[in-house]
Amino acid sequence: MATAAIFSSLRRRRSPCLEFFLAPVDLSDVALIQTLASLSSELVSCHTSKSLFFQRKNSRSLVRKIEVFVVLLEFLRDGRYGRSDLPSAAVLCLKELYLLLYRSKILLDHCAESSKLWLLVQNHSISGHFHDLNQEICTLLDVFPLKNLELSEDVREQLELLQKQSRRTRFYADKHDEELRVQLFTFLNEFENGRIPNPVELRIFFLDSLGISNAKSFRAEIDFLEEQIMNYEGDIEPPASVLQGFVALTRFCRFLLCGFEEDDIGMRCGNTKKQRKGLIAQEIADTFVTVPKDFCCPISLDLMQDPVIISTGQTYDRRSISRWMEEGHCNCPKTGQMLAHNRLVPNRALRNLIVQWCIAHGVPYDPPEMIDISAEAFPAASPGQAALEANKATAKLLVDQLASGPQGARTIAAKEIRLLAKTGKENRAFIAEAGAIPHLRELLSSPSPIAQEISVTAMLNLSIYDKNKSRIMDEKGCLQSIVDVLRIGRTTEARENAAATLFSLSAVHDYKKRIADEGNAVEALAGLLREGTPRGKKDAVTALFNLSTHAENCLKMIEAGAVNALVGALGNEVVEEEAAGGLALIVRQPMGAEAVGKENSAISGLIGMMRCGTARGKENAVAALLELCRTGGSAATERVVKAPALAGLLQSLLFTGTKRARRKAASLARVFQRCENASLHFGGLGVGYAFVGNSTANRDSGFGNDVSVRMSIPVSVL
């Protein structure tokens, strides 16, 4: 871990970037003077020629101070001083100098590579970091044993002069920068009070004063601010709600001032992600030679893809800790403490560090595409009134362009609607109320693959808001257009997002029958489940599961081949959980049980899930087998009873399964007891089953809540 010295002067302020939390290289076995001389010289040469937009005076002052240290270090190096030739106090001071240079590099890089708006908002804080570094330089020179070193007169004079200057240096914040910061907050206050700021003043501020003059630079500013909100998860100043206001203001000005010119972001087919190299990616690569222990899940010992924090404060990979909880454990695997609740909080700061490390080492990193829709209930911060008003004004600009602009501008407007609708029910409401849905429906049939993909993704994001579901379903021809994209969409991504949209819409019970009856909708979902990508299969199976919860859809599911597709998905660990859940619902009806019974691999697939599936998968599998026996008649029951190894699997579930799984296993055992040859097939095990089954007889009274799947929509990556 980083030493306390790194944080000593930052105790009052948020450090400028995540890399402050990474430990510098170990200095115990390196040529100390040579290393410091090279590092300081490189730092000076790199930043002397850079002209920063903000913090010019502070950064130049810091670089000049480092130049004096370069003189000292080169003198020591050329004098062939070694570690053993220096007093122990000097060695300690040089190690502290490394930490100081390390933090100086981070701060200077931060000022050079951060967005202009972020530097403006953080003007006081960053000026404070420069002042803290100056104080550390002063302290370091006070304790440095210069008298014990045989320094030349000119080197000694420069160090003494630097010491005097450091003592006199005071906190400095540029007045012009501060005026711009105040003006930025003034624009936000205008939106807060329900007024749109003067366009002329906005143009002067963004284009003339800040030099943010085109769509690409506006997009870079927005992306950077959103990244800070995500990284710090509420532990940030100003608060996330204020930063969201600046994001909304910047987005509004991007279209007000630059029109609908392309910004080169998100206008490619497919979900192509561009990873940005971190500020000190090379330092990370040089520091770590193996996967850092803190990046590995304590359960699986693998690199975490989606780190989450549980109630005890420990971090695990989401998939590993979810499986641990599903298996009935109520304690923390690492500490043994009982869990106060089962909520999983994303550890975004750690995830970003993992991404940086993976980029530095060329390690593939594939974060999960699906997030639980329930995460909407726990936003990082509620948007302030200024953000809401700015987003509302932006939505109107976008929809106006979507309605009457040229084809290229309409595509850009749809893309921005997709981005704006990613988060916040208020944004989804603003966009729909402004009339976006009819115009997005028109783009669904666009000959442009990009326009079609963007429009169906925007429709998906809008559909997450419950009131928008009815707007989409009531829009004439909209449902059919979504189904057409699912069937014959021009890109894989478009077809997948169409399936996810149908899943979202089918959350309303009254719409499930309408969706299933829409021409070829179920057939297309079944086809995607058979032949789609892993993500496409996930989208398709969740949509089919939702449709199967409506009893009147059973015949349609059978005729459209959905049953066959669900049975075929039982061997795929990505989708088998939901597939078993869908089958468990379908076999509740005689025709469904008959159709599933005709599938040769259905029973063996469910048995296989009971053996190797997740806790939830086992639960759904035993529920499907139980209902198949209840509804499918004696022939189906006999096939289930004769399944090899089922007795041992049931017995295992009775002791290790979830509460629902145990209840279903006991009920299935009672079904076997009524079979004429039960004792023969189960070797007298029926008595034991009867004992367990009787204890749960009054709890197995229904099936409506017996199927459990994850309800998720891939909003976070769309």
Side-chain angles (χ1 to χ4, degrees), residues 497-674:
N497 291 344
T501 306
L502 294 181
F503 163 68
S504 176
L505 295 172
S506 65
V508 179
H509 184 75
D510 292 342
Y511 297 156
K512 294 175 183 179
K513 185 71 165 60
R514 287 179 58 185
I515 293 171
D517 289 341
E518 196 67 45
N520 299 316
V522 178
E523 290 90 338
L525 288 171
L528 187 61
L529 178 55
R530 291 190 190 96
E531 303 174 0
T533 64
R535 199 206 128 192
K537 290 176 182 289
K538 192 77 172 177
D539 293 330
V541 76
T542 50
L544 287 172
F545 174 87
N546 240 18
L547 296 179
S548 66
T549 61
H550 196 297
E552 296 182 23
N553 287 342
C554 183
L555 179 60
K556 187 68 177 179
M557 301 278 284
I558 296 170
E559 293 175 343
V563 171
N564 175 267
L566 290 170
V567 170
L570 291 177
N572 187 327
E573 64 178 13
V574 176
V575 294
E576 62 182 4
E577 210 173 83
E578 292 85 353
L583 290 173
L585 293 169
I586 290 172
V587 296
R588 295 174 66 184
Q589 299 190 51
M591 69 177 75
E594 181 182 358
V596 173
K598 291 179 180 179
E599 295 290 337
N600 294 329
S601 60
I603 294 176
S604 61
L606 293 170
I607 295 293
M609 281 192 64
M610 289 179 61
R611 179 182 295 108
C612 303
T614 63
R616 186 179 282 114
K618 293 175 181 178
E619 179 183 307
N620 289 345
V622 72
L625 290 172
L626 171 61
E627 199 64 24
L628 183 60
C629 291
R630 287 175 170 174
T631 312
S634 58
T637 302
E638 184 177 0
R639 289 185 60 195
V640 173
V641 168
K642 290 182 178 180
L646 183 58
L649 293 173
L650 278 175
Q651 189 172 29
S652 176
L653 273 183
L654 285 168
F655 293 102
T656 64
T658 64
K659 185 180 295 185
R660 287 196 193 97
R662 293 196 300 269
R663 189 171 69 243
K664 290 301 166 186
S667 298
L668 186 53
R670 292 198 302 274
V671 172
F672 292 157
Q673 284 182 310
R674 294 193 293 268

Side-chain angles (χ1 to χ4, degrees), residues 256-303:
L256 179 70
L257 304 179
C258 297
F260 287 79
E261 63 180 85
E262 181 49 53
D263 58 13
D264 298 327
I265 303 295
M267 295 300 289
R268 299 173 295 277
C269 289
N271 189 29
T272 304
K273 299 178 183 178
K274 182 180 180 181
Q275 292 183 311
R276 197 154 50 91
K277 192 170 183 178
L279 297 179
I280 58 165
Q282 188 56 49
E283 281 82 349
I284 302 174
D286 293 339
T287 301
F288 298 118
V289 294
T290 58
V291 178
K293 183 179 179 181
D294 290 342
F295 292 176
C296 296
C297 176
I299 297 176
S300 67
L301 303 181
D302 293 329
L303 184 70

Side-chain angles (χ1 to χ4, degrees), residues 158-271:
Q158 290 187 59
L159 289 171
E160 291 173 350
L161 179 60
L162 174 59
Q163 188 176 28
K164 293 178 182 178
Q165 290 175 341
S166 298
R167 288 172 178 170
R168 293 197 302 265
T169 302
R170 298 290 180 265
F171 174 89
Y172 174 79
D174 189 278
K175 290 184 179 180
H176 176 66
D177 295 350
E178 184 60 19
E179 290 173 358
L180 290 176
R181 190 177 75 90
V182 171
Q183 189 174 9
L184 180 61
F185 276 91
T186 300
F187 293 143
L188 205 62
N189 287 335
E190 288 287 299
F191 275 117
E192 185 86 33
N193 295 322
R195 298 187 298 269
I196 297 178
N198 187 312
V200 175
E201 293 180 0
L202 290 173
R203 179 177 294 276
I204 293 173
F205 178 81
F206 280 95
L207 274 62
D208 299 340
S209 298
L210 298 185
I212 305 173
S213 57
N214 54 51
K216 190 172 183 179
S217 59
F218 270 101
R219 170 58 57 195
E221 294 287 328
I222 293 170
D223 288 346
F224 194 95
L225 291 176
E226 289 181 335
E227 185 178 351
Q228 304 316 303
I229 296 172
M230 177 179 293
N231 284 346
Y232 295 120
E233 279 197 282
D235 183 16
I236 193 170
E237 185 63 37
S241 58
V242 175
L243 289 178
Q244 288 171 345
F246 290 133
V247 170
L249 167 65
T250 308
R251 183 182 288 112
F252 172 75
C253 292
R254 175 254 192 268
F255 294 102
L256 179 70
L257 304 179
C258 297
F260 287 79
E261 63 180 85
E262 181 49 53
D263 58 13
D264 298 327
I265 303 295
M267 295 300 289
R268 299 173 295 277
C269 289
N271 189 29

